[in-house]
């Protein structure tokens, strides 16, 4: 991290926590099955912020297929789910950590209702989400379109299968982005992308083969070493049902502790 970036990060952190603008934060989230709530509670714990859960008037029943069917119907019809009025007064907050599960590649439908019915103009929005494979990037872009007068910042996302890793990852995320005090060593950049070796393919397979949907074939990979992990950035190709080929990026991490197994952390399409 260069000196200019370090000084900027420290300035943002000082303003956020104690200084120039006395910014006040709210953790506002929707969770269906508890994963997003786990992340929200960890955020609230680390920030000492206020927190509120978004409640749906007619709750989704928690069954995966039933939720997918209802969500698909709502998206096609444009009939958004009704949500309970917020108890928090959004005007009182400068920074809102907005959390949700990813449905159909974007934020869950109750968030669509929230952003339609409430004024976020001038607010700093920090998205956080849980997902099966990915969706932070696409949902963040959707928020930018839905809330053009808000400042949508870099967000945090974690696979539901890895939600136990959220506490450590959030600590780094919050410090790096100036939302809380502390120091973390900067992560190294990924190395040059090169063709995968059989060993790389074995790591990819160990991380991804048990996922419920095919994730494609790794073609290229960049790597980096941290104090605790070896990380892989795979370029992957796949063929859709229409026969068209597409490319995605899949991130995999392997801990250096004995017995650690490869885990894929995110798919970016």
């Amino acid at each position: 991290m260069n000196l200019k970036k370090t000084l900027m990060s420290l300035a943002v952190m000082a303003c956020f926590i104690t200084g120039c603008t006395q910014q006040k934060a709210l953790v506002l989230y929707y969770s269906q099955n508890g994963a997003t709530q786990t992340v929200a509670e960890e955020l609230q714990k680390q920030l000492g912020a206020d927190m509120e859960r978004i409640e749906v008037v007619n709750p989704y029943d928690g069954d995966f297929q039933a939720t997918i069917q209802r969500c698909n119907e709502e998206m096609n019809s444009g009939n958004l789910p009704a949500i309970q009025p917020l108890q928090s007064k959004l005007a009182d907050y400068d920074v809102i950590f907005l959390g949700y599960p990813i449905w159909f590649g974007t934020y869950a439908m109750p968030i669509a209702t929230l952003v339609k019915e409430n004024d976020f103009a001038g607010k700093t929005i920090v998205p956080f989400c849980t997902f099966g494979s990915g969706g932070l990037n696409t949902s963040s872009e959707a928020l930018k379109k839905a809330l053009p007068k808000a400042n949508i910042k870099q967000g945090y996302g974690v696979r539901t299968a890895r939600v136990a890793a959220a506490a450590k990852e959030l600590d780094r995320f919050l410090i790096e982005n100036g939302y809380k005090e502390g120091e973390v060593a900067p992560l190294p950049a990924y190395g040059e992308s090169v063709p995968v070796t059989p060993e790389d393919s074995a790591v990819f397979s160990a991380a991804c083969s048990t996922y419920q949907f095919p994730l494609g074939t790794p073609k290229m990979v960049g790597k980096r070493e941290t104090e605790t992990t070896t990380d892989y950035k795979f370029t992957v190709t796949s063929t859709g049902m229409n026969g068209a080929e597409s490319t995605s990026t899949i991130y995999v991490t392997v801990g250096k502790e004995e017995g650690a197994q490869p885990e894929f952390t995110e798919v970016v399409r």
Side-chain angles (χ1 to χ4, degrees):
M1 182 182 293
N2 60 40
L3 179 61
K4 181 178 179 181
K5 186 173 181 181
T6 301
L7 291 174
M8 289 178 64
S9 178
L10 290 173
V12 170
M13 179 175 65
C15 284
F16 182 84
I17 297 171
T18 60
C20 51
T21 58
Q22 296 296 313
Q23 290 188 315
K24 187 175 180 183
L26 172 68
V27 177
L28 179 62
Y29 72 98
Y30 170 74
S31 182
Q32 184 185 8
N33 293 322
T36 308
Q37 179 173 328
T38 296
V39 179
E41 290 173 346
E42 184 61 37
L43 266 173
Q44 193 275 336
K45 175 182 175 182
Q46 294 197 30
L47 291 169
D50 295 338
M51 183 170 70
E52 180 172 352
R53 175 172 176 153
I54 298 162
E55 300 290 352
V56 180
V57 173
N58 178 24
Y60 297 83
D61 66 9
D63 176 83
F64 177 78
Q65 290 299 332
T67 297
I68 292 299
Q69 181 177 347
R70 175 176 166 183
C71 177
N72 191 44
E73 291 170 353
E74 289 170 340
M75 293 179 73
N76 290 333
S77 67
N79 293 325
L80 300 179
I83 61 175
Q84 300 286 358
L86 295 179
Q87 300 302 306
S88 304
K89 187 177 180 182
L90 297 184
D92 292 343
Y93 297 94
D94 305 288
V95 181
I96 299 171
F97 290 82
L98 183 60
Y100 45 83
I102 296 294
W103 294 354
F104 286 94
T106 190
Y107 46 75
M109 294 300 290
I111 301 299
T113 304
L114 177 81
V115 300
K116 181 178 180 180
E117 295 182 350
N118 293 274
D119 182 14
F120 289 88
K123 303 298 180 185
T124 294
I125 307 295
V126 184
F128 66 95
C129 59
T130 56
F131 44 73
S133 60
L136 174 62
N137 59 326
T138 49
S139 63
S140 295
E141 289 302 313
L143 282 173
K144 291 177 182 179
K145 292 180 181 179
L147 299 173
K149 295 183 180 180
N151 181 17
I152 311 298
K153 306 293 283 185
Q154 172 64 39
Y156 168 78
V158 63
R159 290 186 64 218
T160 300
R162 298 185 65 256
V163 75
K168 184 176 181 180
E169 292 179 352
L170 281 172
D171 180 63
R172 169 177 285 278
F173 172 80
L174 294 172
I175 292 172
E176 283 183 334
N177 290 280
Y179 299 121
K180 77 171 193 178
E181 293 179 306
E183 295 183 2
V184 290
L187 291 172
Y190 283 93
E192 179 183 0
S193 188
V194 297
V196 299
T197 65
E199 291 78 11
D200 297 329
S201 293
V203 169
F204 181 87
S205 179
C208 303
S209 62
T210 59
Y211 186 63
Q212 59 185 322
F213 302 113
L215 292 172
T217 303
K219 299 295 185 180
M220 306 287 287
V221 64
K223 302 176 188 178
R224 71 180 181 192
E225 296 288 339
T226 75
E227 291 184 357
T228 58
T229 64
T230 300
D231 300 330
Y232 299 75
K233 181 181 179 182
F234 288 101
T235 300
V236 178
T237 60
S238 58
T239 303
M241 295 182 65
N242 60 359
E245 186 175 275
S246 62
T247 301
S248 61
T249 301
I250 297 181
Y251 294 88
V252 170
T253 187
V254 186
K256 292 183 177 178
E257 68 274 15
E258 185 177 354
Q261 296 299 309
E263 299 179 295
F264 93 82
T265 61
E266 185 179 12
V267 180
V268 178
R269 296 180 173 89

